[in-house]
Amino acid sequence: MLNIITCFESGIEAKCVALYRSIDRFLTFSDGFRVLGITPRGNQQPSSAALFEAQSLGVECVTANLNIEFAYYPLANKPLSCAYASNLFPGESYLFLDSDTLFLRPIDLGFVIGEGMTGRPVDSTNIGISSLNDPNGAYWAYLYKDLGVRAPRQITPSRDAQTINEYYNSGFIFFDSSRVIEEWNRLFCKTMRSAIRPNEGLFFVEQSVLSAVISSLSQPIRFLPSDVNYPIHMHFDLPERSKIQDVTELRHIHYHHYFDDEFCRKDLFDQLGFGGRSMEMIEMLDWQSN
């Protein structure tokens, strides 16, 4: 069984329900999957309307006070929720999805299944490094030392041209077992309890820790197809090597805050080239008005 893990909280409930709608509409998987809507901070309970909508779409909604120690850092929800789900359903496989992602076309999740992990390189270098002499080298050196990483592999961000040490986006990440999740959660908690931080402070600590864990594995991560976890908010800034020319062919997008203004959504979708499909996308995002 594939466990699709999401973090479902009041501040992001509209995005979560939009994601659940898109899962219900477009996802298939021959071995079956369950969708978990985990609320890791008890004081961030989704509204009754959002819970009702999610449950009507088959989402298993769970409130568990997982993120107490790091409640000030919402992104801690990711490793903590994944570790919780892997303990709840041991011996299975897991797919974590960010709330600000959306499926747009029919898709069989069989393509993510395999030994190891499946994900996508980051879009921008941000706190990534090419060597330990770079500005955030000391931070990554701390992670590498804990994991025994000697020679991390290299990747190229989708927008930036410079090759950097492995650094992956955590918005769509597949785990074939709980082993990597447990290591991710362990090192994340250890790092948060330490004084070690990137120069930018609490900036994607959960994502960089996961990337360092991946670097410690003998088998490299498998890359997602280019039309999955696509950074639609960067579409016009992407180089030709990374850009999808026909956005109507995209199967899954990562939009961050790009569509937050509901009054601009139609214009944005039209500018991107969705054309006749714009209203279909808006209908999924505007669940409260339907």
Side-chain angles (χ1 to χ4, degrees):
M1 175 73 76
L2 175 63
N3 297 280
I4 299 178
I5 305 165
T6 68
C7 297
F8 187 24
E9 292 192 329
S10 56
I12 54 173
E13 65 177 38
K15 291 181 177 180
C16 290
V17 172
L19 172 60
Y20 300 150
R21 280 186 160 198
S22 74
I23 289 172
D24 180 68
R25 183 173 300 184
F26 293 120
L27 256 61
T28 58
F29 182 52
S30 59
D31 291 339
F33 63 84
R34 65 170 62 91
V35 182
L36 301 171
I38 300 175
T39 304
R41 297 179 294 179
N43 63 345
Q44 299 289 325
Q45 184 77 8
S47 67
S48 57
L51 283 167
F52 177 83
E53 182 74 11
Q55 290 166 345
S56 72
L57 293 166
V59 178
E60 297 182 25
C61 301
V62 181
T63 298
N65 287 316
L66 308 173
N67 188 7
I68 298 173
E69 185 177 359
F70 315 119
Y72 56 89
Y73 183 51
L75 294 177
N77 289 349
K78 292 188 183 186
L80 295 170
S81 294
C82 286
Y84 176 81
S86 68
N87 287 325
L88 202 61
F89 302 105
E92 300 185 351
S93 55
Y94 315 90
L95 173 64
F96 180 83
L97 295 175
D98 270 358
S99 60
D100 55 350
T101 69
L102 205 63
F103 290 93
L104 303 182
R105 292 178 61 83
I107 182 170
D108 187 325
L109 286 177
F111 76 90
V112 305
I113 306 301
E115 184 179 351
M117 300 178 61
T118 306
R120 177 187 174 100
V122 290
D123 303 310
S124 301
T125 299
N126 50 62
I127 66 168
I129 61 171
S130 297
S131 78
L132 295 181
N133 295 320
D134 287 353
N136 282 297
Y139 168 72
W140 286 90
Y142 165 84
L143 302 179
Y144 292 156
K145 182 178 180 181
D146 180 277
L147 296 161
V149 176
R150 297 182 179 275
R153 295 168 292 247
Q154 302 286 294
I155 59 99
T156 302
S158 58
R159 187 179 69 174
D160 300 341
Q162 182 183 13
T163 299
I164 62 174
N165 289 3
E166 283 184 300
Y167 186 21
Y168 298 101
N169 182 280
S170 60
F172 188 120
I173 195 92
F174 167 79
F175 305 87
D176 70 335
S177 71
S178 62
R179 181 172 60 92
V180 175
I181 292 175
E182 291 167 358
E183 192 71 345
W184 177 25
N185 190 51
R186 177 197 67 80
L187 183 53
F188 171 77
C189 292
K190 178 181 177 181
T191 302
M192 290 293 289
R193 291 168 184 149
S194 75
I196 303 297
R197 294 287 185 273
N199 290 350
E200 294 77 0
L202 271 180
F203 190 79
F204 292 128
V205 170
E206 92 299 336
Q207 185 166 270
S208 51
V209 169
L210 174 60
S211 299
V213 172
I214 293 170
S215 290
S216 71
L217 305 175
S218 59
Q219 182 178 5
I221 192 171
R222 297 185 307 277
F223 287 177
L224 289 166
S226 57
D227 65 339
V228 176
N229 203 21
Y230 183 77
I232 196 72
H233 62 298
M234 289 185 175
H235 177 70
F236 296 112
D237 299 324
L238 291 175
E240 290 304 308
R241 63 178 169 81
S242 303
K243 184 177 292 187
I244 297 293
Q245 298 304 320
D246 184 357
V247 297
T248 63
E249 295 299 313
L250 288 168
R251 291 183 289 174
H252 178 266
I253 59 171
H254 200 157
Y255 59 90
H256 296 264
H257 298 290
Y258 200 52
F259 303 126
D260 282 3
D261 187 342
E262 60 185 280
F263 300 105
C264 296
R265 286 172 181 164
K266 178 67 165 59
D267 289 340
L268 288 173
F269 277 119
D270 288 345
Q271 290 169 17
L272 288 164
F274 281 96
R277 296 202 64 209
S278 295
M279 293 310 297
E280 179 186 359
M281 306 300 104
I282 291 170
E283 185 274 333
M284 281 192 290
L285 290 166
D286 291 345
W287 66 273
Q288 290 171 306
S289 61
N290 292 285

